[in-house]
Amino acid sequence: MTAFQRFTDKLRKAVSKRYGETCLVEVNEIEKNNGVVYHGITIKRKDSNISPTIYLEKLYQEYEDGVPLGDILEKVIQIYEDHKIEGGIDLQFLLDFEKIKEKIVFRLIHYENNREMLSEVPYVRFLDMAVIFYCSIAHETLGNIAIVIKKNICRIWGIEKEELLLLAGRNTPVLLPFTLRSMEQIMEELGHISCVSGKEPCMYVLTNSRKMFGAACLLYPDVLKHFAQAADKSFYVLPSSVHEVILVPERKGFCGEAFRQIVKEMNGEQVEWEEVLSDSVYYYDREKGKLEKI
């Protein structure tokens, strides 16, 4: 047993002792994008089917830095009490395809980095990436919930990935409309520059209204086509993360190899691994009306 495992076991037992038989306390692994695995503790009341997940990695770092286990226990209890949900949530509606089909949307992730996870979900290849599907549900207590669609639920619904793609292609731009702003606009809003020069912007950020998994806006109908028409030229696409991409109109002196090095360095130094989309650079050819990996 590793030191981290000993820590999580001690914490689980301490939480269980605090709540007694009224709650089931478990430590689970939560797989994120690109195979990143976090560990979370859940405290589930016997009259509820849902519980907030409290991630343990940062708490373990505090423990390693000398914070007593008792203090960490109190912190976990406080987090749970602040976010616990009375009763439960009826998830039976997820089995009814007619009730859920208008909430199906898509995300873009890297294909090779997620091979294990992709074995359990329906997906569609897109260049060196994969399109996956999930249900976006607005809950009055929990806010926006994202539930990944797996193969087993598709069998219950009796549908194939092609139908998911059609539905998500219609729903996602409506539920998560795209936003496109110049880098200068964003920097000015952040207070990093006081004014925008009269020069034409050289970079634009494409994401969605929630700024969550906004790289999927690349799949929205005519978004890239209309940008090329407005810019009156072809352009490069730099995948800055799963949440956004950067569009760079082509001009003299720009080359794909230099951009590829920029993306690689950005992913290695500035982007958390679970948020990396790809080290590749893409090119939208205005004449062909097509996005390609270069």
Side-chain angles (χ1 to χ4, degrees):
M1 183 180 288
T2 66
F4 178 72
Q5 289 172 329
R6 287 193 293 271
F7 164 76
T8 59
D9 190 52
K10 286 179 182 178
L11 186 60
R12 181 189 60 80
K13 289 177 179 177
V15 175
S16 295
K17 184 176 180 181
R18 176 69 64 90
Y19 284 101
E21 296 184 358
T22 62
C23 293
L24 174 65
V25 182
E26 296 180 318
V27 173
N28 302 294
E29 291 186 349
I30 302 98
E31 185 174 359
K32 297 289 187 177
N33 187 49
N34 292 334
V36 174
V37 176
Y38 289 119
H39 296 79
I41 189 167
T42 58
I43 307 166
K44 190 180 296 183
R45 298 184 64 86
K46 292 187 177 180
D47 61 352
S48 176
N49 63 351
I50 192 167
S51 169
T53 297
I54 303 167
Y55 292 104
L56 297 175
E57 276 73 13
K58 288 185 178 179
L59 294 176
Y60 175 65
Q61 187 59 57
E62 292 179 16
Y63 180 69
E64 284 284 278
D65 291 340
V67 177
L69 185 66
D71 290 353
I72 292 174
L73 168 64
E74 295 304 323
K75 188 172 185 177
V76 168
I77 298 298
Q78 189 62 55
I79 293 172
Y80 169 72
E81 292 295 333
D82 289 344
H83 296 89
K84 68 181 180 181
I85 301 162
E86 299 296 339
I89 295 179
D90 183 6
L91 299 177
Q92 284 298 112
F93 73 96
L94 289 173
L95 303 179
D96 190 335
F97 181 65
E98 290 302 314
K99 291 182 179 179
I100 206 72
K101 66 181 183 180
E102 293 184 356
K103 304 180 187 302
I104 294 173
V105 291
F106 53 49
R107 289 177 176 175
L108 264 183
I109 61 175
H110 194 265
Y111 174 72
E112 288 294 340
N113 292 341
N114 291 280
R115 292 289 292 270
E116 184 174 346
M117 185 269 285
L118 289 172
S119 67
E120 301 177 357
V121 304
Y123 68 91
V124 176
R125 287 293 303 269
F126 178 69
L127 302 174
D128 61 337
M129 298 170 281
V131 184
I132 63 169
F133 308 94
Y134 66 103
C135 298
S136 180
I137 302 166
H139 188 272
E140 59 184 31
T141 303
L142 300 177
N144 293 308
I145 307 173
I147 302 175
V148 176
I149 295 174
K150 296 192 174 184
K151 291 179 178 178
N152 57 352
I153 193 67
C154 285
R155 286 192 288 269
I156 293 173
W157 289 343
I159 65 168
E160 302 293 334
K161 63 183 179 183
E162 290 77 15
E163 188 169 358
L164 286 176
L165 185 61
L166 286 172
L167 286 167
R170 182 181 67 200
N171 297 337
T172 315
V174 174
L175 297 175
L176 298 166
F178 79 90
T179 67
L180 181 64
R181 295 184 297 163
S182 71
M183 190 68 76
E184 286 83 353
Q185 286 177 302
I186 294 173
M187 295 296 284
E188 184 178 19
E189 290 172 8
L190 293 174
H192 296 315
I193 57 176
S194 58
C195 63
V196 179
S197 70
K199 295 182 180 179
E200 179 185 351
C202 62
M203 291 186 179
Y204 297 80
V205 177
L206 175 64
T207 185
N208 61 32
S209 56
R210 290 185 194 161
K211 298 181 176 59
M212 293 293 292
F213 286 92
C217 293
L218 288 175
L219 304 170
Y220 290 10
D222 295 332
V223 166
L224 301 186
K225 176 183 175 181
H226 289 162
F227 179 77
Q229 290 174 344
D232 195 23
K233 59 186 67 177
S234 300
F235 58 90
Y236 295 94
V237 176
L238 282 56
S240 53
S241 76
V242 293
H243 304 304
E244 63 185 25
V245 295
I246 298 173
L247 310 185
V248 186
E250 188 173 32
R251 64 176 60 182
K252 186 176 180 180
F254 286 5
C255 70
E257 184 56 41
F259 286 137
R260 191 158 34 238
Q261 187 61 34
I262 290 172
V263 170
K264 189 174 182 179
E265 290 178 1
M266 188 165 50
N267 285 340
E269 299 173 7
Q270 300 177 31
V271 182
E272 295 291 336
W273 174 242
E274 70 175 280
E275 297 184 341
V276 169
L277 178 57
S278 175
D279 282 342
S280 301
V281 171
Y282 311 95
Y283 181 77
Y284 182 86
D285 189 304
R286 185 188 175 196
E287 298 301 320
K288 294 180 181 178
K290 185 178 180 181
L291 184 68
E292 299 175 325
K293 176 175 171 288
I294 59 175

